[in-house]
Amino acid sequence: MARNSNSRRVRHTDFLDNGLVADYTGPGLLPGQPPGGGSVGAYLLSRAMPHLPPWLAAAGIGITGGLGSLKWEESAAAGVGLTLASVALTGATWWMGKSTTAQRRLHSAITVASASAWTTAACLAGPTAGPLPDLYLMGAPALALSWNIRMILRRNDAPGGESGDKGLLEKVGLARAQIGNAKVEPNRVTAPLAVEAGEQTNDDVSKALARIASALDLPTSAVRYQPDGDSNRRGELVIVPEDMLAEAAYWEGPSNLGGSIADPLVIGRYDDGSPMYLWLPGDPDAGRNGTHVLVAGGTGSGKGETALNLQTEILSRRDVLLWLSDPKMFQDFRPLLPGIDWAAEGGTPTEVMVEAIQAVIPARTRWLGQHNYRQWVPAAAQVQNGPKHSCRTDGRACGCPGMPYLVAWMEEAASTLRNLGDDAFTGIAQEARSAGVSLIVSLQRPSYDQMSTSTRASLPSVIALGCDPRDESFSLPDTVLDAGAHPGAWGNRRPGYCYLVTPGIDETRYASPGRTWGFGPNAVSLMEVLADWAQRHGATADPITAGAASSVAGNAYTGRPNPGDTSTAHATTDEDDMDDTGYGPLVDPEDADIDPEAELPNDEPGDDAPIFGQETGRKPSPEEARRLFAQALEEFERAGHMVVGPKDFMDWCDRNNLSRPWVSARLKEAALDGRLEPTKTTGRWRIVPILTAA
């Protein structure tokens, strides 16, 4: 599909002084290429014109000497004046040349001194007097040719094509660096660079990037340096003169509807117009591992639209499940909810989802190992008809349903990390890739006080949007920052601008800025259509994943709703009815005839005894209190509230005249009985569904 792009014509003088580009006249026109439609004569004239100025100056000097002699010949006063003028002009040339290279300064001063001396002599004695005509005929062409030769050597004056014009490099502290032949592409110039051996390193070039951008009058992000992995003094200097991302391009639909999640996800475009690719699963043939992703950026940097880009690509693939946690109540993602397999709000629902993911990982890893997969590949999502699967002992094809890829997305993860601890995702991030699970964590500031360093180290991919300059090192590796990446330069002024660091793309792209697609008002209806497609044609949870999730989350995990289901299957409900998840009842069959709404037996007839309470001011007996506590756990389970702690029982304790320590003791007893399991958060317990506990 077509994407918006723009370009500008770059004048041939834009980078003339530094030797990077000499005759770049526009996109697609390389140095030495004649303009389309021009004759050979016109082309030769255009090539000769840059060399004419020295010859015109030489002719002008001869004419000036001849005309001056008509007025000032044998004039003593004129001799004094012309001599002073020659000395002053030569001195001014030497003074003004101090900002250039020593070679250019000396060449310019000698040229001015020679020309002014001959002109003075010609004006006083006549241009044909004595040796003056011979000096003119030999000296003028020699000086003109010297400048022509200099112009040629400025582009290629060393055996490797290295530039001899060090004007710009001297200004930025790299006077002895050598620039090779530049590769000119539309809106991109790439030049090999080598600093002086033993004196400078690639770090010196990285530190000079801001000064190079200043010298070229370009933004900092337009100049990058990619070091050579085999050398500490060589690399490539990349200059992008035009910001092709300034004009926003809008999402027009998924890039590969019905494709595999193993195919690249297209989430935007780079500053040279090429697409931004991101792979989540690994590829053993390409030697690429699966990856987790960190999406980081300050408020207003475009994290929401970046998430939409990635989520719409995920939902458009046929062999992937998406689980989403969003404390903002799906404000940005509401149109996509029907296509999402499990969506949880913040707080306890997210806590349950995290516990479920931790249970799903070993179950999926075990299944993949039984079917001879060292990592998830698209074939794992198909029905397993191949032989030699250890899930069967007779050598025949097992016929097991396939296992789709799983993406667990934690939006606004800072809230979750505050509730669960800064290492809540550490175990998941370290173990999930081998289970065919990718973790995507989105937050504003991935600093050490928000996320543990172990978790951050386990998120190898990052989409770094605009941020505070002080936060750049929290998002991007030092090598990428040294290469010229600078998300702090954008802040929240350029939503969607980002750097992408991920396996599968050329490392030279890491420091290249990109921009994700924008989502305009018309995108909502298209997202709804995509969600409907995912609901009807996307993957459904395999028995292993669904069973492991249900064993932890119980009624909180329902899976993607069927088409036409108008219930809010993704949100935690307060209804007491048990939902049929398709994986067996969550109430013991022996208790099927028990009415959960029935009143409890009372010590005194006529007293009301609701499930969660006794008459205020009356303390129940120990046996009765334990029965009420067990029923309270069932109520939580039916409501999908699968992680509890003493604070969840506060109102219940008040109604029943029970203390918090008493509840804590009952929680520990329930854990010993297998009804609860401790979580990684102190004082929080996960309810084990009834059948599992039994």
Side-chain angles (χ1 to χ4, degrees):
M1 57 189 70
R3 301 292 184 191
N4 296 332
S5 64
N6 58 3
S7 62
R8 70 181 177 107
R9 298 182 65 82
V10 182
R11 300 186 305 276
H12 78 282
T13 57
D14 280 356
F15 306 114
L16 191 60
D17 286 339
N18 59 63
L20 295 183
V21 180
D23 290 306
Y24 179 40
T25 58
L29 186 58
L30 299 180
Q33 178 180 347
S39 64
V40 175
Y43 167 67
L44 293 176
L45 179 61
S46 67
R47 299 298 296 169
M49 286 183 65
H51 302 279
L52 291 179
W55 295 93
L56 295 176
I61 290 170
I63 295 173
T64 301
L67 295 176
S69 67
L70 298 177
K71 183 174 180 59
W72 296 317
E73 189 172 1
E74 298 183 357
S75 171
V80 174
L82 289 172
T83 301
L84 292 176
S86 298
V87 173
L89 185 59
T90 303
T93 302
W94 181 261
W95 177 77
M96 289 185 290
K98 66 179 182 180
S99 61
T100 65
T101 62
Q103 184 187 57
R104 180 186 291 271
R105 186 183 190 187
L106 182 62
H107 192 187
S108 300
I110 291 174
T111 300
V112 172
S114 301
S116 60
W118 186 90
T119 301
T120 300
C123 289
L124 297 177
T128 59
L132 290 181
D134 296 327
L135 290 175
Y136 177 79
L137 293 175
M138 290 185 291
L143 286 174
L145 281 172
S146 71
W147 282 98
N148 290 160
I149 294 171
R150 183 178 185 84
M151 184 179 297
I152 295 172
L153 293 180
R154 178 169 51 197
R155 304 177 197 173
N156 186 5
D157 68 345
E162 294 171 336
S163 172
D165 190 339
K166 305 298 196 256
L168 178 139
L169 295 180
E170 185 179 27
K171 292 178 182 178
V172 300
L174 301 173
R176 297 187 180 181
Q178 296 177 331
I179 296 181
N181 286 332
K183 178 183 178 182
V184 181
E185 303 171 276
N187 197 45
R188 186 182 181 94
V189 178
T190 304
L193 179 69
V195 297
E196 185 179 11
E199 295 293 333
Q200 293 177 312
T201 67
N202 287 329
D203 290 339
D204 295 299
V205 182
S206 299
K207 295 174 182 178
L209 291 178
R211 296 193 295 274
I212 295 175
S214 174
L216 297 176
D217 194 19
L218 293 172
T220 304
S221 60
V223 181
R224 278 101 65 179
Y225 181 69
Q226 182 61 43
D228 187 335
D230 298 326
S231 173
N232 196 30
R233 59 177 288 262
R234 298 182 183 273
E236 288 188 333
L237 187 64
V238 180
I239 298 175
V240 180
E242 176 69 15
D243 183 7
M244 297 181 68
L245 305 176
E247 183 178 349
Y250 291 94
W251 182 68
E252 299 174 2
S255 64
N256 187 11
L257 184 64
S260 172
I261 189 63
D263 298 327
L265 310 178
V266 183
I267 62 172
R269 81 281 192 203
Y270 287 104
D271 57 354
D272 61 359
S274 58
M276 294 177 66
Y277 292 128
L278 174 65
W279 286 266
L280 293 178
D283 184 349
D285 294 333
R288 186 186 70 247
N289 291 324
T291 190
H292 305 308
V293 183
L294 171 67
V295 182
T299 302
S301 63
K303 288 199 311 300
E305 291 194 341
T306 299
L308 287 174
N309 275 279
L310 195 47
Q311 288 184 19
T312 52
E313 285 289 281
I314 293 170
L315 292 179
S316 69
R317 307 306 169 90
R318 66 178 184 272
D319 50 6
V320 61
L321 303 172
L322 176 60
W323 290 0
L324 170 65
S325 163
D326 184 11
K328 296 194 303 183
M329 315 304 178
F330 319 114
Q331 180 180 7
D332 293 328
F333 315 119
R334 184 69 58 177
L336 299 176
L337 282 184
I340 296 175
D341 187 66
W342 185 4
E345 297 174 354
T348 299
T350 293
E351 196 173 359
V352 174
M353 178 178 284
V354 171
E355 292 292 326
I357 296 171
Q358 292 172 344
V360 159
I361 289 172
R364 290 174 60 93
T365 304
R366 185 182 306 109
W367 185 92
L368 289 170
Q370 289 174 341
H371 293 82
N372 301 327
Y373 296 111
R374 297 186 64 186
Q375 61 176 294
W376 188 94
V377 293
Q382 308 299 321
V383 176
Q384 303 301 297
N385 290 322
K388 298 182 180 180
H389 292 165
S390 60
C391 61
R392 291 186 66 97
T393 58
D394 54 10
R396 293 185 298 170
C398 64
C400 294
M403 176 178 286
Y405 199 75
L406 176 61
V407 177
W409 189 298
M410 299 295 161
E411 183 68 15
E412 296 295 342
S415 175
T416 301
L417 291 168
R418 282 194 299 270
N419 294 333
L420 303 184
D422 62 357
D423 63 346
F425 304 136
T426 301
I428 296 174
Q430 292 175 345
E431 302 168 4
R433 287 189 297 173
S434 61
V437 179
S438 281
L439 174 66
I440 301 180
V441 178
S442 176
L443 74 169
Q444 294 183 15
R445 192 172 184 267
S447 56
Y448 63 89
D449 59 338
Q450 298 269 1
M451 174 188 295
S452 73
T453 54
S454 297
T455 300
R456 178 62 189 91
S458 301
L459 302 175
S461 296
V462 59
I463 303 176
L465 295 108
C467 64
D468 188 294
R470 295 169 295 182
D471 295 341
E472 290 180 341
S473 60
F474 296 139
S475 302
L476 292 173
D478 291 340
T479 54
V480 179
L481 295 173
D482 292 341
H486 190 27
W490 301 326
N492 60 2
R493 297 180 299 278
R494 297 186 180 182
Y497 277 65
C498 63
Y499 293 100
L500 175 61
V501 176
T502 185
I505 66 174
D506 191 340
E507 291 186 6
T508 60
R509 285 286 190 186
Y510 287 174
S512 298
R515 189 175 186 181
T516 56
W517 311 124
F519 279 72
N522 297 331
V524 173
S525 58
L526 189 55
M527 285 191 288
E528 292 174 344
V529 172
L530 175 61
D532 181 71
W533 180 91
Q535 190 176 14
R536 296 175 182 276
H537 305 290
T540 56
D542 59 285
I544 300 299
T545 302
S550 296
S551 70
V552 171
N555 198 39
Y557 175 70
T558 60
R560 183 186 293 116
N562 295 322
D565 185 0
T566 58
S567 64
T568 56
H570 292 291
T572 301
T573 65
D574 293 326
E575 297 177 358
D576 292 332
D577 295 337
M578 292 295 292
D579 292 336
D580 183 5
T581 63
Y583 306 104
L586 298 180
V587 176
D588 194 327
E590 295 180 1
D591 299 332
D593 296 331
I594 298 177
D595 182 3
E597 298 292 340
E599 295 181 349
L600 293 173
N602 299 304
D603 291 343
E604 297 180 12
D607 286 339
D608 265 345
I611 290 179
F612 272 98
Q614 290 285 341
E615 183 179 350
T616 302
R618 179 180 176 278
K619 184 175 181 179
S621 64
E623 294 77 10
E624 194 172 16
R626 288 185 175 87
R627 185 172 65 252
L628 290 175
F629 182 80
Q631 291 173 341
L633 291 180
E634 293 180 15
E635 289 264 339
F636 281 123
E637 182 179 346
R638 283 198 294 269
H641 196 110
M642 301 298 292
V643 177
V644 296
K647 65 180 182 180
D648 298 297
F649 289 85
M650 293 306 295
D651 293 340
W652 183 76
C653 288
D654 291 341
R655 290 195 300 269
N656 291 277
N657 290 331
L658 295 172
S659 66
R660 176 167 176 161
W662 186 91
V663 172
S664 298
R666 301 290 78 72
L667 289 171
K668 292 180 181 179
E669 288 180 359
L672 294 175
D673 293 338
R675 189 68 172 95
L676 297 177
E677 286 189 1
T679 68
K680 292 184 178 181
T681 305
T682 303
R684 303 293 288 171
W685 304 82
R686 177 174 62 82
I687 299 176
V688 178
I690 291 177
L691 284 182
T692 305

